[in-house]
């Protein structure tokens, strides 16, 4: 731990001439690393003064480096306090009497400096990017994880047997009446060869792919279906994640919040929610760069490295034509309770959606059906939403007929994607997704 702390402090204290942080005023940099709090506040203001893509790199770097300085100080102070606390007579007496430190949550609340340090580091990763400091942030968080395991070696065992946390509640599953009857099934294939998949891509049709995820640790020995395992991988649930609040991002009452993973689990995943407006969804988040240990539980499907046919830009909506070619597949996590919805929309990438936990209902429309899907336009704030439909694909029939008469004529394909299955969604195809149970999916975008 001490070696990582010293390396981090040295890196943010000594800057070479090419460091982008040097574009910040010298009077600001003079406060680093001794006074991180005002620097974090200043950089936070700068991050919100521009669209994220236009934020000058120096301010993102300042936010990250000041956060690292604060985290180092918190950890160093916390370690000193913990050593003093661990050897104090009063603590020894409490342990002999069986004090609350022996509860299943031991190690989760008794050392708040770990909570605060993890919060500071995750905010840097989420808010700033993390501006070239990924390795430092992950190294500190990894050291905190190791510290917890040394300080409370039986914590993992206690969490796994903690009542109610060995699996997700069955009550989260949709009633049978809410599970659609599949009338227009998507073609499926069992583990097609690379050559067969490339040939299929030329048809520009979706494909359900079976029997290709059995080797993923997330499916078996490191199960994402276990809430306790996911807590273990998120520093006892301390890691921060961005959560969408509401059924769908097109709803009026939709919002966003940054909360701890444990809060997300307790509030949205481990109990049934009857109000769709109060659902929580970790949606389209690059969780695997934030928590690389989870990345080790999965693998990029080989299909993502096939030669895709030439892109027909006529099948893309206006904002999607501006997206760049990818050097590597983009990975995103989709984790939430039953009832969460991704509204009918289209993306500028080929997509393989892999279902790790639970089931999802998915409906697909070809780009040729776009004129019947009522794409949105530029909305308040100048946001171009033309890749998203105005239509609630599973809305009330009488409302759909009255407001969107052409929608009922649109042809579609559909499937229920189950654990261990993948769905290939060709570039430009419109897709609507609804979780039928607690669901954890990973999307792989490529072009």
């Amino acid at each position: 731990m001490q070696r990582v702390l010293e390396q981090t402090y040295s890196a943010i204290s000594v800057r070479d001439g090419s460091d982008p942080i040097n574009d910040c005023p010298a009077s600001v940099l003079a406060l680093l690393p001794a006074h991180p709090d005002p620097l974090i506040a200043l950089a936070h203001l700068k991050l919100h003064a521009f669209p994220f893509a236009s934020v000058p790199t120096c301010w993102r770097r300042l936010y990250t480096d000041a956060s690292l300085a604060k985290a180092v100080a918190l950890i160093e102070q916390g370690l000193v306090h913990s050593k003093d606390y661990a050897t104090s007579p009063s603590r020894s007496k409490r342990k002999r009497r069986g004090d609350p430190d022996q509860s299943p949550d031991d190690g989760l609340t008794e050392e708040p400096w770990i909570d605060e340090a993890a919060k500071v580091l995750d905010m840097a990763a989420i808010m700033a990017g993390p501006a070239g400091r990924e390795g430092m942030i992950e190294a500190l968080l990894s050291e905190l994880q190791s510290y917890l395991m040394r300080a409370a070696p039986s914590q993992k065992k206690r969490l796994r047997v903690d009542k109610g946390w060995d699996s997700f509640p069955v009550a989260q599953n949709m009633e049978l009446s809410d599970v659609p009857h599949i009338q227009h099934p998507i073609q499926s294939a069992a583990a097609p060869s690379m050559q067969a998949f490339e040939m299929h891509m030329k048809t520009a049709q979706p494909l359900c792919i079976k029997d290709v995820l059995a080797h993923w640790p997330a499916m078996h020995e490191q199960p994402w279906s276990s809430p306790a395992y996911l807590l273990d991988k998120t520093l006892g649930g301390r890691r921060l994640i961005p959560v969408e609040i509401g059924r769908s991002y097109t709803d009026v009452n939709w919002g966003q919040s940054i909360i701890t993973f444990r809060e997300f689990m307790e509030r949205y995943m481990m109990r049934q929610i009857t109000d769709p407006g109060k659902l929580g969804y970790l949606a389209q988040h690059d969780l695997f760069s934030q928590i690389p240990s989870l990345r080790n539980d999965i693998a990029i499907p080989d299909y993502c490295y096939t030669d895709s046919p030439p892109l027909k830009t006529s099948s893309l909506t206006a904002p999607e034509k501006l997206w760049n070619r990818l050097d590597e597949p983009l990975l995103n996590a989709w984790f939430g309770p039953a009832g969460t919805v991704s509204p009918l929309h289209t993306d500028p990438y080929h997509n393989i959606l892999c279902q790790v936990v639970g089931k999802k209902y998915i409906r697909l429309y070809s780009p040729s059906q776009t004129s019947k899907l009522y794409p949105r336009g530029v909305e308040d704030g100048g946001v171009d939403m033309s890749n998203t439909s105005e239509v609630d694909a599973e809305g009330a029939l009488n409302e759909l007929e009255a407001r969107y008469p052409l929608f009922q004529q649109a042809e579609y394909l559909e499937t229920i994607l189950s654990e261990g299955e993948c769905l290939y969604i060709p570039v430009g195809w419109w897709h609507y997704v609804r979780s039928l149970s607690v669901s954890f999916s990973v999307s792989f975008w490529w072009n």
Side-chain angles (χ1 to χ4, degrees), residues 74 107 111-119 144 147-148 235 238:
L74 285 166
E111 295 180 302
W113 60 271
I114 298 181
D115 300 59
E116 186 61 24
K119 177 181 178 181
L144 290 176
Y147 172 84
L148 280 179
L235 204 63
R238 291 176 171 86

Side-chain angles (χ1 to χ4, degrees), residues 158-385:
R158 283 198 299 271
L159 278 173
R160 290 199 181 282
V161 300
D162 193 10
K163 185 177 179 181
W165 285 81
D166 55 341
S167 62
F168 291 103
V170 176
Q172 279 275 14
N173 297 343
M174 284 287 182
E175 299 291 339
L176 288 177
S177 59
D178 293 322
V179 178
H181 173 65
I182 302 302
Q183 300 179 15
H184 310 285
I186 297 170
Q187 179 184 347
S188 66
S193 67
M194 294 285 282
Q195 182 180 12
F197 183 73
E198 283 190 356
M199 291 297 293
H200 178 84
M201 287 186 71
K202 294 178 181 178
T203 69
Q205 293 292 310
L207 181 69
C208 287
I209 305 173
K210 304 178 185 295
D211 304 331
V212 293
L213 302 185
H215 65 290
W216 281 17
M219 303 295 299
H220 303 290
E221 64 267 26
Q222 293 163 208
W224 290 5
S225 59
S226 166
Y229 175 76
L230 295 175
L231 283 181
D232 287 344
K233 304 298 281 188
T234 55
L235 204 63
R238 291 176 171 86
R239 301 299 301 271
L240 294 180
I241 54 172
V243 175
E244 298 182 358
I245 311 299
R247 173 179 171 272
S248 163
Y249 67 75
T250 56
D251 291 351
V252 175
N253 61 349
W254 180 86
Q256 293 177 295
S257 181
I258 295 178
I259 60 177
T260 68
F261 192 87
R262 190 176 184 88
E263 285 180 283
F264 173 70
M265 295 284 279
E266 292 174 340
R267 193 178 302 173
Y268 303 110
M269 306 302 295
M270 301 305 295
R271 63 188 183 93
Q272 189 172 17
I273 298 174
T274 57
D275 182 356
K278 295 182 179 179
L279 293 171
Y281 195 14
L282 191 162
Q284 197 177 326
H285 176 52
D286 187 5
L287 185 66
F288 310 109
S289 64
Q290 184 188 357
I291 307 176
S293 59
L294 281 175
R295 172 67 179 81
N296 296 332
D297 294 346
I298 60 175
I300 297 176
D302 291 342
Y303 304 122
C304 295
Y305 296 103
T306 55
D307 291 329
S308 58
L311 183 64
K312 296 180 180 179
T313 56
S314 60
S315 68
L316 302 181
T317 57
E320 294 169 338
K321 295 177 183 179
L322 303 177
W323 289 32
N324 297 324
R325 184 169 182 83
L326 301 175
D327 294 324
E328 288 290 330
L330 290 177
L331 281 64
N332 281 301
W334 309 79
F335 182 36
T340 54
V341 167
S342 291
L344 189 59
H345 69 285
T346 179
D347 297 313
Y349 303 121
H350 295 283
N351 181 9
I352 290 184
L353 181 66
C354 299
Q355 192 67 18
V356 184
V357 178
K359 296 183 178 183
K360 282 182 170 176
Y361 170 67
I362 304 176
R363 186 185 294 185
L364 303 178
Y365 295 81
S366 165
S368 65
Q369 304 298 303
T370 299
S371 62
K372 303 172 185 176
L373 302 183
Y374 299 87
R376 294 170 179 261
V378 177
E379 301 193 347
D380 293 343
V383 178
D384 192 339
M385 294 283 288

Side-chain angles (χ1 to χ4, degrees), residues 5-36:
L5 292 172
E6 290 173 357
Q7 289 176 343
T8 303
Y9 193 85
S10 175
I12 61 179
S13 300
V14 181
R15 299 178 293 273
D16 61 40
S18 62
D19 194 322
I21 199 174
N22 291 321
D23 291 334
C24 291
S27 58
V28 169
L29 297 180
L31 299 176
L32 188 68
H35 304 284

Side-chain angles (χ1 to χ4, degrees), residues 119-171:
K119 177 181 178 181
V120 168
L121 292 169
D122 268 330
M123 285 299 291
I126 293 171
M127 296 293 295
R133 299 300 201 191
E134 298 91 331
M136 293 183 191
I137 291 174
E138 177 55 28
L140 287 173
L141 288 165
S142 179
E143 289 296 326
L144 290 176
Q145 181 77 41
S146 298
Y147 172 84
L148 280 179
M149 293 299 101
R150 291 192 301 269
S154 61
Q155 175 179 306
K156 181 180 291 187
K157 180 179 178 181
R158 283 198 299 271
L159 278 173
R160 290 199 181 282
V161 300
D162 193 10
K163 185 177 179 181
W165 285 81
D166 55 341
S167 62
F168 291 103
V170 176

